[in-house]
Amino acid sequence: MGDGTWSRFFAAVDEELAGAVDLRRRLHRAPAVSGAEGPTLDAVIEALGVADWQPIAETGALVRIGPATGPAIGIRAELDALPIVERTGSPYASENGAMHACGHDIHISAAVAIGRAALRVPLPVALLLILQPREEAYPSGARDICESELFHTHELGQVFGAHVHPRIPAGGIAIGAGAVNAAADEFNIEIDGHGGHAAYPHHARDPIVALGAVIGALQTLVSRRLDPMHPAVLTFGTVTAGSAANVIPDRAYASGSLRTMDTDDRVRLHDEVGAMVSAIAHAHGCTGTVRITKGEPILFNDPDLSHAVQTAFDRAGVVTVDPMRSCGADDFSFYSEQFPGVMMFVGVGDGPDTPALHSATFMPPDSAIADIARAYALAIQAVVQLESEG
């Protein structure tokens, strides 16, 4: 594929950006939450202008562009929004009680620009647009797609994702090889005791006291059981017990999140949370049970692919910043667990006061669409050149 074809492809991407901005604003005005992405998918398919696409994972789709057989390069775009009431004051703000507060409208629009450009300037390799539902909720849309036989008929060779991030200055992009996001699991704890009158605790077995001891003790699993050089987080998000101030209840409940950047640490924490809850509950005359729901695996950027993309960015003068590594999670990790993949974090920050992801005031600029679309175009070029060089 000569330099002239690449020049035409890059030019076509730029020519599609105005339409992508319009799509972004329409999607932002009418978001759909996880599991209800049908209207969003319809708008995206219409914007792409394709008749041939495959439904997958209930409200998602696969759109293959280019050669019908052979290897394909995947580009993931998340369709869902969050159940957040928007407070941005934007002229195209949502009014339906949901909000694209994680930038998915940006990601979708950039992927559409790439898809439309590839329809205009044929590439020597197929593109597979992965229009994915349920990134923000369980069961994960990415997991369901990766478990689909249909998905694997497309012979995916590499897969790319991009995510806007307010902690990176606008215009900058972070790649970084290796683990960039944590595995994310949820735990639910139930402590069963024996209720009674608040004035006579010696006649009861107080599950609240036992749960309090559990909450404090579990913090030591990260600080005292794991290598301090291995990032991990154990956070409680809910604690529930009782119905009256003068009554000791029969049960107490808590739930939270486990985040790990090492596979062995993940397994160990699962085992030790259960053992510690059981032992502490027993010491208080209660019983304790734990249910752990496995979520996303560790998001791992392939080293060779990361290097190839970074080299392409350097040649093109793209501003890159230090790798963005955090205990956040993204179900793009299901793809990168099976295929060489790279998640790129694209800056939309405008100083320390930039609203955070999932904030009711988060509103990344339209310019991020161009940053992501051009990054995808360079990544595609890098893959084609890498394979042509053997």
Side-chain angles (χ1 to χ4, degrees):
M1 186 171 175
D3 291 342
T5 303
W6 285 117
S7 295
R8 292 195 300 274
F9 177 61
F10 294 142
V13 171
D14 285 346
E15 289 164 5
E16 293 294 340
L17 292 177
V21 168
D22 178 68
L23 174 64
R24 182 267 172 118
R25 295 183 177 190
R26 287 188 284 120
L27 293 177
H28 195 92
R29 185 177 287 115
V33 297
S34 305
E37 299 96 340
T40 298
L41 178 61
D42 291 344
V44 173
I45 295 298
E46 180 183 3
L48 281 167
V50 295
D52 187 15
W53 57 279
Q54 298 169 311
I56 196 167
E58 298 179 8
T59 50
L62 301 177
V63 181
R64 187 179 179 109
I65 299 170
T69 59
I73 298 172
I75 293 178
R76 190 283 298 263
E78 321 94 299
L79 298 174
D80 55 337
L82 288 155
I84 294 174
V85 177
E86 183 167 348
R87 294 189 289 106
T88 63
S90 167
Y92 47 93
S94 167
E95 297 178 352
N96 67 3
M99 179 187 175
H100 275 296
C102 203
H104 293 184
D105 51 335
I106 295 279
H107 309 161
I108 296 166
S109 302
V112 167
I114 285 289
R116 286 180 59 88
L119 287 165
R120 294 171 52 190
V121 182
L123 302 176
V125 64
L127 295 187
L128 186 68
L129 301 186
I130 306 164
L131 305 177
Q132 182 206 304
R134 285 179 280 111
E135 194 278 326
E136 299 286 4
Y138 294 142
S140 159
R143 187 200 66 183
D144 289 352
I145 288 174
C146 286
E147 291 177 353
S148 165
E149 292 182 8
L150 172 64
F151 181 56
H152 291 277
T153 65
H154 288 282
E155 301 179 51
L156 209 64
Q158 303 83 14
V159 61
F160 293 100
H163 204 298
V164 296
H165 206 289
R167 296 298 169 255
I168 298 173
I173 299 181
I175 304 178
V180 294
N181 266 176
D185 306 314
E186 291 185 356
F187 61 85
N188 286 269
I189 296 171
E190 179 178 322
I191 306 294
D192 288 282
H194 177 68
H197 197 293
Y200 309 106
H202 55 298
H203 293 312
R205 293 292 180 266
D206 194 332
I208 294 179
V209 173
L211 180 57
V214 163
I215 292 171
L218 285 186
Q219 306 305 314
T220 67
L221 291 182
V222 171
S223 66
R224 289 296 178 268
R225 302 293 179 89
L226 299 185
D227 186 330
M229 302 304 291
H230 292 187
V233 175
L234 188 155
T235 297
F236 280 85
T238 70
V239 177
T240 307
S243 58
N246 61 349
V247 176
I248 296 171
D250 288 322
R251 294 180 182 84
Y253 307 88
S255 67
S257 179
L258 286 171
R259 306 291 178 111
T260 48
M261 297 285 274
D262 178 89
T263 301
D264 291 340
D265 290 347
R266 186 184 193 189
V267 173
R268 183 174 186 178
L269 277 183
H270 286 196
D271 292 340
E272 298 216 9
V273 166
M276 186 171 280
V277 168
S278 178
I280 292 173
H282 179 73
H284 287 78
C286 302
T287 58
T289 56
V290 178
R291 184 179 76 256
I292 294 179
T293 302
K294 291 185 70 174
E296 300 90 339
I298 297 165
L299 201 168
F300 188 85
N301 277 352
D302 181 82
D304 292 338
L305 193 56
S306 298
H307 176 72
V309 174
Q310 180 68 58
T311 300
F313 284 1
D314 291 344
R315 289 173 180 165
V318 174
V319 177
T320 55
V321 299
D322 290 340
M324 176 76 193
R325 305 186 195 277
S326 78
C327 284
D330 190 299
D331 67 4
F332 182 83
S333 56
F334 284 104
Y335 306 107
S336 66
E337 189 177 47
Q338 296 190 23
F339 309 97
V342 168
M343 168 62 80
M344 301 176 283
F345 295 99
V346 178
V348 293
D350 184 24
D353 296 329
T354 303
L357 297 171
H358 292 205
S359 164
T361 57
F362 181 64
M363 178 61 78
D366 291 333
S367 59
I369 299 171
D371 294 337
I372 293 175
R374 290 166 181 158
Y376 279 148
L378 288 167
I380 294 165
Q381 182 188 35
V383 169
V384 172
Q385 291 180 341
L386 192 68
E387 294 188 342
S388 69
E389 296 168 359

